[in-house]
Amino acid sequence: MAPQGHGPQTSEALHQAFSKHVEVALSDLQSIINVEVERCRKELIREAAVRQQQADAEWTKLLSERKTLQQEKDALVMREEALEREKALLQGNRGPSDVLDLNVGGQTFCSVRRATLSMVENSGLGSMFSGRWESSLERDSAGRIFVDFPPEIFMPLVDFLRQKCIEDPANPVEPPNMPPERMAAFKRMLAYYGLVDTLWPRPEGKWETAWGHMLISDEDRAITVTAQRDTYQAAAFNAQRLWRSPHPLWRLHVTKTRSDAPWYYDSVAFGLVSMVNSSALATDRHASVSDLILNLRGDVREDFPNASIDLGGGMPAEQCSLDIEIRMRNRQFVLEFNGREHMTETLPPGLQESSCCLLVAVTYPWISVKLLA
């Protein structure tokens, strides 16, 4: 039997009593939530404000830097314009189309375009006739600029520069063909004017290994091999073509570093390798012993592989070096050493003079080959 005094009335009383407490607790919880939400909202607003200030500061900084760069650019343009005005003043308002009247050695009178005489800008001749020193140039009584060199050596230079102005890169202008008795004076004049490299450009002298173990010295433009093994065990390309003439020319100095060692046929050998253009890398070219043409005795094919024979009287051991000049002309590969002995071989079929580089092979580690020009 259920206890007396407990029934629906009791449950209702309990519900009313607890409902008040729950409502109060929920109200307190809602207040706490509202306070926290408000705090988070204010915190987010503060963070947003800080970030906006940082962004505004960065934008202001970028605008300032942009303004500074624009000012520097404007200043640079003004300096360039000022330099151009100064250059024009130094040139005496003379342009490259001026025609100059010259008195050459008191014997020849001629008229030459300023642009012709000043085409090599960094040379002494180019500076002399640039217009910057117009008032300091010597003149004769007729107002002609006086050139204190004989016309026999100065006029060939003028003719060379005239041709150089209209030069076709595929057909370069050759230096003047000076008589031997005038060549020394001609070269001294070129040195005075700073034009030696213009008439006879110096190669860069870069060598690239073709095969074997080759030591390459870019500083003195020399090659040697590291150890003795087989005939023509190492070789190098001369990577720089000499474009000053339609007929390639190389000058080499071969040195024997061991005075007791003899000269052999295969001490050094020379050949040619076809190349597509002057900037081709060694990896784009392929060479082998079959590309060699001449050694110190003659045709490589006659001696190889048994070419280690003493040259004897043809090249005494006491002689420690020899100068070699290699040229190509009329499809002939011509080798001259010590200015007196010539050896000639016909170029291999398909090999063109205008599209090849020199190949030099060395057998013995006491042989050094240096590129002179």
Side-chain angles (χ1 to χ4, degrees):
M1 179 176 295
Q4 295 294 328
H6 295 281
Q9 295 82 2
T10 304
S11 297
E12 181 64 25
L14 290 172
H15 176 72
Q16 292 178 357
F18 279 105
S19 293
K20 293 180 179 179
H21 291 290
V22 170
E23 289 176 358
V24 172
L26 289 175
S27 178
D28 292 342
L29 181 59
Q30 186 63 50
S31 297
I32 293 172
I33 291 173
N34 292 340
V35 170
E36 185 64 21
V37 168
E38 181 65 18
R39 187 190 65 79
C40 291
R41 186 181 69 83
K42 291 180 178 179
E43 183 66 26
L44 288 174
I45 291 175
R46 283 195 297 270
E47 290 180 0
V50 171
R51 291 180 180 177
Q52 183 63 47
Q53 290 176 355
Q54 292 174 344
D56 292 343
E58 287 293 330
W59 179 248
T60 301
K61 181 180 178 182
L62 288 174
L63 290 177
S64 176
E65 291 177 350
R66 179 181 178 183
K67 182 179 179 181
T68 300
L69 289 174
Q70 185 62 45
Q71 291 173 344
E72 292 177 352
K73 180 181 178 181
D74 294 341
L76 180 60
V77 171
M78 293 177 64
R79 285 198 296 270
E80 290 178 348
E81 292 174 350
L83 286 174
E84 288 299 322
R85 290 193 297 271
E86 183 179 355
K87 181 178 178 180
L89 290 173
L90 286 173
Q91 292 178 343
N93 295 321
R94 295 176 180 269
S97 61
D98 291 342
V99 175
L100 303 176
D101 294 325
L102 305 182
N103 175 342
V104 183
Q107 305 172 50
T108 299
F109 308 111
C110 66
S111 297
V112 188
R113 292 175 61 240
R114 183 187 297 275
T116 299
L117 296 172
S118 60
M119 66 171 298
V120 186
E121 295 182 359
N122 295 326
S123 67
L125 186 71
S127 176
M128 177 179 176
F129 291 105
S130 65
R132 296 193 296 270
W133 318 108
E134 200 70 20
S135 61
S136 63
L137 295 178
E138 290 187 74
R139 298 177 183 272
D140 63 12
S141 58
R144 292 181 289 252
I145 298 173
F146 181 72
V147 177
D148 196 17
F149 283 104
E152 292 81 7
I153 62 174
F154 186 79
M155 292 311 299
L157 173 62
V158 172
D159 292 338
F160 172 81
L161 294 176
R162 284 169 171 160
Q163 293 298 313
K164 199 75 175 171
C165 288
I166 58 172
E167 178 183 63
D168 180 356
N171 186 24
V173 181
E174 294 211 34
N177 187 17
M178 298 296 296
E181 63 272 15
R182 295 177 184 167
M183 181 58 75
F186 183 64
K187 289 185 176 180
R188 279 194 295 270
M189 181 188 68
L190 294 180
Y192 175 78
Y193 284 134
L195 291 172
V196 174
D197 288 347
T198 301
L199 275 75
W200 293 289
R202 298 181 62 186
E204 292 181 3
K206 298 296 184 182
W207 294 91
E208 301 174 47
T209 300
W211 70 74
H213 299 284
M214 180 72 73
L215 291 176
I216 297 176
S217 172
D218 289 336
E219 183 176 350
D220 56 9
R221 302 189 294 177
I223 56 174
T224 55
V225 297
T226 56
Q228 180 180 347
R229 287 190 296 274
D230 303 319
T231 295
Y232 310 133
Q233 60 177 311
F237 299 108
N238 170 227
Q240 176 68 25
R241 278 280 280 104
L242 302 181
W243 293 104
R244 66 170 177 263
S245 167
H247 308 294
L249 169 68
W250 292 272
R251 291 189 177 92
L252 306 169
H253 184 67
V254 182
T255 303
K256 183 163 60 72
T257 58
R258 273 183 49 192
S259 59
D260 61 321
W263 290 98
Y264 294 112
Y265 293 168
D266 62 352
S267 292
V268 60
F270 312 94
L272 297 170
V273 178
S274 182
M275 55 190 287
V276 177
N277 57 61
S278 63
S279 61
L281 298 175
T283 53
D284 297 327
R285 298 190 292 268
H286 303 281
S288 65
V289 173
S290 62
D291 294 307
L292 297 173
I293 300 174
L294 291 171
N295 60 18
L296 294 182
R297 181 171 183 265
D299 191 343
V300 168
R301 291 163 293 186
E302 295 180 358
D303 301 312
F304 188 79
N306 300 311
S308 297
I309 303 173
D310 191 345
L311 277 167
M315 187 71 66
E318 297 78 29
Q319 183 173 332
C320 292
S321 66
L322 64 150
D323 292 314
I324 291 180
E325 185 173 292
I326 298 171
R327 66 177 71 247
M328 288 179 286
R329 194 176 296 276
N330 299 325
R331 296 207 50 78
Q332 295 292 310
F333 186 76
V334 182
L335 185 148
E336 172 187 339
F337 57 85
N338 291 343
R340 51 184 175 81
E341 185 169 347
H342 293 75
M343 293 179 283
T344 304
E345 284 294 326
T346 302
L347 293 181
L351 193 63
Q352 300 298 321
E353 292 184 9
S354 60
S355 60
C356 60
C357 66
L358 181 67
L359 179 68
V360 179
V362 182
T363 298
Y364 307 102
W366 60 80
I367 297 294
S368 175
V369 180
K370 180 178 180 180
L371 180 67
L372 300 179

